Amino acid sequence: MAKKSAEISPCMPSANAVVSCRGEDGSDNALVVGYVSNCSFDPPMVMVGIVPSRYSHGLVRQNPCFVVHFARADQKEAWDYLGSESGRDGDKLKHLGLTVEDGAVVNAPVITDFPVAVECTVVDSIVTGSHEMFVGRIEHVHADEEFINAEGRLDLSDADLI
Ligand SMILES: Cc1cc2nc3c(=O)[nH]c(=O)nc-3n(C[C@H](O)[C@H](O)[C@H](O)COP(=O)(O)O)c2cc1C
């Protein structure tokens, strides 16, 4: 098949997640992040890219930890809200009636409505351009029972996620 040149753009297929965070005053927030990826197998780490103008960016800078959540396809309404409204204008989690618990390890909210939550401590960050990539060491993984296999590992192969 003949190849053509395409426009240069961030073209890697990306995962999508809801990333929650907590300011130093204890206020909780979450946003949708498309720039999310594994970045180390050992120790297990992920990175999330947050634009400095986002309200969440300041919260992660104040209190360097976050929780990465995966959402089910039927949670699109909450997803759209978290990915378009800003925590600057009000408490998004309260508005959506989401259930929030303290992290098991990190000082950030775990949104229990979502089937998977991955608690992370920020160990580094790099401003790549439009985004600051926060590298998070995975501290704890919560998942609905159906997504944990017989070996105790997360298995999302049958999950209908956004
Ligand atoms: C599909 C999707 C992917 C997004 N990816 C990112 C992202 O990778 N980084 C980012 O900072 N914002 C991203 N956004 C935008 C934020 O989620 C959005 O601006 C949000 O309202 C910011 O909330 P905040 O101001 O409360 O932090 C994305 C939005 C959508 C819908």
Side-chain angles (χ1 to χ4, degrees), residues 70-73 115-116 144 146-147 154-162:
F70 298 120
R72 295 190 312 265
V116 179
D144 287 356
E146 62 183 303
F147 299 127
L154 193 60
D155 179 357
L156 298 174
S157 48
D158 288 335
D160 188 15
L161 302 176
I162 296 178

Side-chain angles (χ1 to χ4, degrees), residues 3-134:
K3 301 283 187 292
K4 280 180 71 179
S5 300
E7 186 190 342
I8 295 174
S9 66
C11 51
M12 303 299 288
S14 61
N16 280 304
V18 170
V19 174
S20 65
C21 46
R22 175 174 286 164
E24 57 194 358
D25 64 355
S27 60
D28 292 337
N29 193 46
L31 83 168
V32 170
V33 169
Y35 282 32
V36 54
S37 174
N38 294 316
C39 65
S40 168
F41 179 74
D42 183 19
M45 301 222 217
V46 296
M47 60 183 175
V48 298
I50 304 181
V51 178
S53 60
R54 310 290 186 234
Y55 181 64
S56 303
H57 182 269
L59 302 192
V60 175
R61 290 304 284 277
Q62 285 170 20
N63 175 29
C65 57
F66 56 84
V67 183
V68 177
H69 304 79
F70 298 120
R72 295 190 312 265
D74 64 6
Q75 295 178 311
K76 186 79 170 51
E77 203 177 310
W79 173 271
D80 286 342
Y81 189 83
L82 294 171
S84 58
E85 300 294 324
S86 178
R88 262 187 211 100
D89 304 321
D91 185 332
K92 295 199 275 185
L93 304 178
K94 199 174 265 177
H95 173 90
L96 290 166
L98 294 171
T99 305
V100 168
E101 287 180 0
D102 287 340
V105 178
V106 308
N107 180 26
V110 169
I111 305 168
T112 59
D113 305 77
F114 295 124
V116 179
V118 181
E119 297 184 28
C120 301
T121 299
V122 174
V123 295
D124 208 345
S125 80
I126 176 174
V127 179
T128 46
S130 54
H131 289 59
E132 181 163 5
M133 303 304 300
F134 291 100

